[in-house]
Amino acid sequence: MSSARHIQVPDDASRLPMTLPRLFEKKRLGEPVVMVTAYDYPSARAAEAAAVDLVLVGDSAATTVLGHTSTTPVDLDEMLVLAKAARRGLKTPLFICDLPFGSYEVSDEQAITSAMRYVKEAGADAVKLEGGNPMSVARARAIVSAGIPVMGHVGLTPQTATALGGWRAQGRTGQGAARIAREALALQEAGCFAIVFEAMPSAVAAEIMPQMQAVVIGIGAGPSTDGQVLVFHDLLGIREGLGARFVKRYANLQDEMDAGVAAFAADVRQRRYPAPEHDYSIDQAELERFKTARAG
Ligand code: KIV
């Protein structure tokens, strides 16, 4: 496990907010783009402190913070609560909010309305939607035409994982790889400024990359993409089990949380907490006055 203790991050004061022109400049210069998910104020503060470029309030919140077994149950109102909290913890990263399942598929109007709620209510800079089929491409085009930047997402798209045959890597056949390439290009042509490539062979991602003018953020797509994203709870080990093959774990916070709460419980049971240093005092005369008043 890597130690995060002594890693240098760019000086807070000299850091400029990430904008689309700065993001494309990073791509042009070949500088790796860093993206992480966040779902509340403390996770956003950690992303800000690490000077990441992009923060996504992912619908992975459904599993990581809301305890569902898939991403489909979370709705836009729940996501907005999380997005507003994350926004309060951020100053410089580009702030992207994930359109949850059921908030954009029905019509262009529904998609634009949902995207606008994220912008107006949570201060989103951009929204993300899943899939590169004609419906998703049409919704991306509609939201872009309403003036809201859109990030696409191809490969393993968790909202439709059942239809894809389960939670598994995509593009491992010639036909599957061709579908991913087609979808990525269609989203790019629809105006997406960035596209997530999730869980696909690195050779497939590398083959598609030369055609991508959009910024490509990989998660389980190898090293050729413009940047990388991991889910906050996966990279910090705030979860049971190891997660997907592509996850690299940088801490074991679930173990630390379990140990901390267990130590508190033991202290209370053994009457070690609270100790004198946790007490508030009262002047002796005031205490006597209180006691006398009660007695009388
Ligand atoms: O919901 C999410 O966290 C995501 C990222 C994995 C890209 O879509």
Side-chain angles (χ1 to χ4, degrees):
M1 195 178 304
S2 308
S3 164
R5 302 279 181 267
H6 305 295
I7 293 176
Q8 294 286 315
V9 293
D11 175 27
D12 193 46
S14 65
R15 224 158 65 222
L16 294 170
M18 182 52 67
T19 58
L20 296 189
R22 288 199 184 105
L23 186 63
F24 283 109
E25 182 63 2
K26 272 187 102 101
K27 176 177 170 94
R28 196 185 66 77
L29 296 172
E31 289 176 12
V33 177
V34 184
M35 172 162 137
V36 71
T37 66
Y39 315 102
D40 56 13
Y41 182 76
S43 53
R45 292 298 302 143
E48 179 73 45
V52 309
D53 302 303
L54 313 176
V55 166
L56 171 71
V57 181
D59 67 347
S60 49
T63 56
T64 56
V65 301
L66 299 179
H68 295 294
T69 53
S70 78
T71 59
T72 51
V74 71
D75 67 24
L76 185 59
D77 287 322
E78 292 172 302
M79 289 295 296
L80 275 161
V81 173
L82 307 178
K84 288 181 205 177
R87 171 83 275 180
R88 291 179 203 116
L90 296 174
K91 281 197 289 220
T92 53
L94 196 79
F95 184 52
I96 306 161
C97 295
D98 220 356
L99 289 165
F101 185 66
S103 71
Y104 62 96
E105 298 88 337
V106 177
S107 64
D108 287 354
E109 191 181 329
Q110 184 205 28
I112 294 171
T113 303
S114 298
M116 281 184 170
R117 284 196 69 193
Y118 267 141
V119 173
K120 280 173 166 292
E121 297 177 37
D125 296 315
V127 299
K128 179 169 90 56
L129 54 72
E130 288 191 8
N133 59 24
M135 179 278 294
S136 292
V137 172
R139 301 298 174 258
R141 195 187 305 281
I143 298 169
V144 170
S145 68
I148 301 172
V150 176
M151 171 180 265
H153 185 157
V154 298
L156 173 59
T157 46
Q159 292 175 6
T160 45
T162 308
L164 293 175
W167 205 278
R168 55 211 290 229
Q170 300 294 304
R172 299 182 86 173
T173 62
Q175 205 181 18
R179 181 176 62 80
I180 291 174
R182 208 169 44 243
E183 292 185 349
L185 291 171
L187 287 166
Q188 172 168 277
E189 195 272 324
C192 288
F193 75 98
I195 302 179
V196 170
F197 279 16
E198 178 163 354
M200 66 182 72
S202 53
V204 170
E207 182 66 25
I208 304 171
M209 277 310 289
Q211 292 172 275
M212 299 308 298
Q213 283 100 48
V215 174
V216 177
I217 307 293
I219 174 164
S224 70
T225 55
D226 299 306
Q228 299 290 332
V229 57
L230 279 178
V231 165
F232 187 83
H233 288 58
D234 287 345
L235 79 92
L236 293 178
I238 313 174
R239 56 167 299 146
E240 286 141 24
L242 289 175
R245 174 188 174 82
F246 53 74
V247 172
K248 181 171 176 184
R249 189 172 277 195
Y250 293 83
N252 268 321
L253 296 194
Q254 186 68 56
D255 290 351
E256 293 208 28
M257 290 196 296
D258 291 353
V261 177
F264 166 66
D267 272 4
V268 172
R269 291 184 185 120
Q270 302 298 318
R271 302 189 189 285
R272 288 188 299 255
Y273 177 86
E277 67 266 27
H278 304 118
D279 272 4
Y280 295 101
S281 65
I282 180 169
D283 186 83
Q284 191 57 37
E286 291 300 329
L287 186 59
E288 289 310 324
R289 195 167 293 136
F290 170 59
K291 287 182 178 173
T292 309
R294 271 169 55 83

